[in-house]
Amino acid sequence: MTAEPTPSKNDLDRAVYALSLLRRRRFDAAIDICTELLEQNPYDKQVWYIKARALTQKNWIDDTEMEDEGVAELLLDEDAMSNMPRPGTSFERPNSAASTGSQAVRPSTGGRLQTGFLRPGTQSRPGSKSGNVEAAFQGSTTTGSARPVTSAGRFVRLGTASMKSEPGGPFINVDRLDMKKYAQRPPLAKVLCDFILYHDHNPMKALELGAEATKAAEYNDWWWKARLGKCLYQLGLYRDAEKQFKSSLKNQEMIVTYLELGKVFHKLDQPLTALELFDKGIEKHTHDTHLILAQARIHEQLNNTASSVRYYKQVLSLDSSNSEAIACLAANHFYEDQPEIALRLYRRLLQMGVTNTELWNNLGLCCFYASQYDMTLSCFERALALSSDDNMADIWYNIGQVAIGIGDLGLAYQAFKVAISVDSSHSESFNNLGILELRKTHVDQARSCFQTATGLNPHVHEPLFNGGLLAFKLGDFQEAYTLTMKALEQYPDHTESLELRKQLRQHFTAI
């Protein structure tokens, strides 16, 4: 057996330079230098270590938050603990919007109130709420991008893309590694485990390495138990992942472990258990904002708006520049008819350097409802300049709303037409366009717009009520009653729908 060659002075200097590049997050340059050094000496462990860390951090994904769910999770979800949970104890049955404000003022998606901050995994679950298979296959963007069949399918795509991007083939052939050998070397084993998880996206091999390393550490290392829980979570074994995370917390109470265990309870549809877990974590880590934010998100998903606002204010008392808390509080103040306060919060985001389409759009709406009309159109112009096909339809829809507010129905009609041309599935624009068509006495076009809006978004009550009212005026009472009852299913406290149902029942009684 030949001895491993020792690196020369020049090689050592270049290795130190590669480590410096890694610390400065210049991953590509560090990878190139390490590749050259490994070609000269393939047994150099320190260079191998640096390259593995650089490749891992280059492909690192913050997986402490929920990820977008695949079609299989949406349509074939069997992980929930109860099929008929009580309201307020499950993400499938959040509290009614009646306790959190009028649904006519604050829109909802699938029974869940809209928040001021877009996060993965917090959109409505089309497989469980609406039963719409087409909605499940559609991605989270408005352009209809494909959704992976499962969450694991997403990891396979990422792993394949990472391997294809490496010149000369994969850096480490994981299938040929002796996991027991690496498990005896904890520093190298931890780097290799993260490389397998975040670069190759192969949780099975990472689980094998983690099991051997946990044995070598005599089951006392919290890090390996947390990695085992992460691997089991990615494989869909949530109960086994829960055991590993709880065992890890017994050895060392880490914030990231609390967050990942909360993800497991989220998948199992146990929000109250997750809240209790975060409460225990906050007792140990009093001034950490991540656990408080996690609590606020769960309360938002359960439609507990007052509780979520309290937690977001607590986050801002600890971190005054937290963009998520500022955006959610601003949206809440806007929907509570306090646009001036919302405007101040959005201006705070602008001062922090946040500049995107959504922020300028919200600023325009706040300016309009705060009677600062001179600023409204300039904000929408900024929003349109920064917009893409994914969000341009919303901007034009809001411009149409502003035009209706100032009485310019011609501009409103054109704005809704542009919104539909950009996004043919924008149900709100179809609904408002139907109202404008009805004002022009174009009854057939108005009815078609209402039907299209209902088909695109069955959770919105406005097109259902408008279609029912139009059918009532045209004498089609059965159709009117059907649409009115569907509108009341989505919004039971809608006054106009209740009045229309009363008139229809009086009419049927008279007949």
Side-chain angles (χ1 to χ4, degrees):
M1 183 176 180
T2 59
E4 296 179 2
T6 57
S8 65
K9 182 177 182 300
N10 292 332
D11 292 338
L12 183 61
D13 291 340
R14 296 196 68 192
V16 173
Y17 180 57
L19 181 61
S20 175
L21 292 173
L22 173 64
R23 291 174 175 172
R24 287 179 284 162
R25 303 186 64 81
R26 295 174 58 183
F27 302 127
D28 291 330
I31 292 169
D32 293 339
I33 293 177
C34 290
T35 302
E36 295 176 2
L37 293 176
L38 288 173
E39 288 177 355
Q40 301 171 10
N41 181 11
Y43 301 101
D44 194 331
K45 291 186 176 63
Q46 65 174 351
V47 177
W48 182 93
Y49 180 97
I50 295 171
K51 183 174 181 180
R53 288 297 299 163
L55 287 169
T56 302
Q57 294 187 28
K58 181 181 177 182
N59 296 277
W60 186 276
I61 296 176
D62 183 10
D63 52 2
T64 57
E65 295 185 7
M66 295 301 297
E67 65 277 349
D68 284 330
E69 295 176 306
V71 179
E73 285 89 348
L74 291 170
L75 298 179
L76 306 173
D77 186 9
E78 297 179 353
D79 298 314
M81 298 300 296
S82 176
N83 293 327
M84 293 295 293
R86 290 179 290 111
T89 63
S90 167
F91 295 119
E92 301 300 326
R93 294 192 67 190
N95 290 323
S96 63
S99 61
T100 58
S102 174
Q103 187 176 341
V105 177
R106 186 166 188 168
S108 66
T109 55
R112 184 175 300 160
L113 296 178
Q114 288 186 357
T115 64
F117 197 84
L118 183 61
R119 297 178 289 268
T122 57
Q123 287 79 26
S124 61
R125 301 175 58 126
S128 56
K129 294 299 293 186
S130 65
N132 190 349
V133 179
E134 294 179 359
F137 276 96
Q138 186 177 355
S140 58
T141 59
T142 58
T143 54
S145 60
R147 185 192 295 269
V149 175
T150 62
S151 299
R154 175 173 171 269
F155 292 127
V156 171
R157 292 182 187 177
L158 292 173
T160 306
S162 300
M163 292 179 184
K164 289 181 66 176
S165 63
E166 289 186 46
F171 169 52
I172 300 175
N173 191 347
V174 181
D175 295 329
R176 301 178 64 179
L177 293 180
D178 185 1
M179 297 302 180
K180 291 184 179 180
K181 174 183 174 183
Y182 278 92
Q184 303 300 323
R185 304 174 180 178
L188 290 179
K190 290 182 178 181
V191 172
L192 179 60
C193 182
D194 281 345
F195 177 86
I196 297 172
L197 269 178
Y198 292 100
H199 182 270
D200 288 354
H201 299 279
N202 189 347
M204 285 293 295
K205 283 295 180 181
L207 182 65
E208 180 183 347
L209 175 60
E212 296 294 340
T214 305
K215 292 179 183 178
E218 298 180 351
Y219 304 96
N220 292 323
D221 194 330
W222 70 269
W223 193 91
W224 282 114
K225 292 180 181 180
R227 282 297 182 269
L228 285 175
K230 188 187 293 288
C231 296
L232 292 167
Y233 174 84
Q234 292 186 8
L235 292 171
L237 304 173
Y238 300 125
R239 281 304 180 188
D240 295 331
E242 177 187 352
K243 294 177 182 178
Q244 293 295 333
F245 285 132
K246 287 183 176 179
S247 179
S248 176
L249 287 173
K250 289 180 181 179
N251 293 117
Q252 182 73 32
E253 294 188 357
M254 300 297 292
I255 297 171
V256 65
T257 311
Y258 278 109
L259 294 174
E260 291 181 334
L261 183 54
K263 282 177 59 178
V264 173
F265 290 132
H266 192 291
K267 283 286 189 179
L268 295 174
D269 197 16
Q270 294 180 301
L272 300 185
T273 308
L275 290 175
E276 293 177 2
L277 171 72
F278 293 141
D279 282 331
K280 294 179 182 178
I282 291 173
E283 291 178 2
K284 300 291 183 180
H285 307 277
T286 311
H287 299 291
D288 185 78
T289 59
H290 297 86
L291 297 174
I292 305 174
L293 271 177
Q295 283 189 317
R297 294 167 185 168
I298 291 178
H299 282 295
E300 266 189 339
Q301 289 181 273
L302 295 175
N303 287 352
N304 296 329
T305 307
S307 300
S308 67
V309 168
R310 185 175 70 252
Y311 283 112
Y312 281 131
K313 289 181 178 179
Q314 187 176 348
V315 169
L316 287 180
S317 67
L318 298 172
D319 180 11
S320 59
S321 61
N322 189 284
S323 58
E324 179 177 351
I326 294 174
C328 292
L329 283 176
N332 183 73
H333 283 297
F334 176 80
Y335 288 120
E336 288 186 351
D337 200 17
Q338 296 174 332
E340 296 84 4
I341 301 177
L343 184 60
R344 290 179 57 188
L345 292 171
Y346 284 129
R347 284 179 58 190
R348 168 66 177 162
L349 287 176
L350 206 59
Q351 293 168 355
M352 289 166 51
V354 180
T355 172
N356 53 33
T357 304
E358 291 78 11
L359 178 58
W360 284 107
N361 171 73
N362 294 347
L363 281 169
L365 288 175
C366 290
C367 288
F368 175 73
Y369 287 105
S371 301
Q372 298 183 14
Y373 303 115
D374 55 334
M375 299 283 293
T376 303
L377 290 180
S378 61
C379 290
F380 282 125
E381 287 177 356
R382 292 282 189 94
L384 286 173
L386 296 172
S387 65
S388 62
D389 291 340
D390 294 343
N391 48 30
M392 189 181 294
D394 293 330
I395 311 300
W396 281 108
Y397 169 77
N398 289 326
I399 292 174
Q401 290 286 88
V402 170
I404 290 177
I406 62 177
D408 191 347
L409 300 183
L411 174 60
Y413 187 84
Q414 293 178 357
F416 294 138
K417 280 288 190 180
V418 173
I420 292 172
S421 67
V422 174
D423 180 11
S424 60
S425 61
H426 202 268
S427 61
E428 293 85 356
S429 296
F430 274 107
N431 177 70
N432 288 9
L433 194 61
I435 298 293
L436 295 179
E437 293 284 5
L438 198 58
R439 290 179 64 92
K440 296 180 180 180
T441 67
H442 298 162
V443 177
D444 293 335
Q445 290 89 331
R447 177 184 291 176
S448 176
C449 288
F450 294 145
Q451 292 175 351
T452 304
T454 302
L456 292 173
N457 192 352
H459 298 296
V460 180
H461 68 279
E462 287 95 342
L464 291 167
F465 168 75
N466 293 333
L469 183 60
L470 178 59
F472 176 75
K473 292 181 178 180
L474 294 177
D476 191 351
F477 300 119
Q478 184 60 46
E479 178 69 15
Y481 186 79
T482 303
L483 292 174
T484 304
M485 295 304 295
K486 289 182 179 180
L488 288 172
E489 288 179 5
Q490 302 303 324
Y491 184 17
D493 298 327
H494 189 225
T495 307
E496 289 81 359
S497 296
L498 291 172
E499 181 64 27
L500 181 57
R501 185 184 64 177
K502 180 180 177 181
Q503 294 182 17
L504 287 167
R505 286 180 174 176
Q506 290 176 354
H507 179 77
F508 292 149
T509 304
I511 294 176

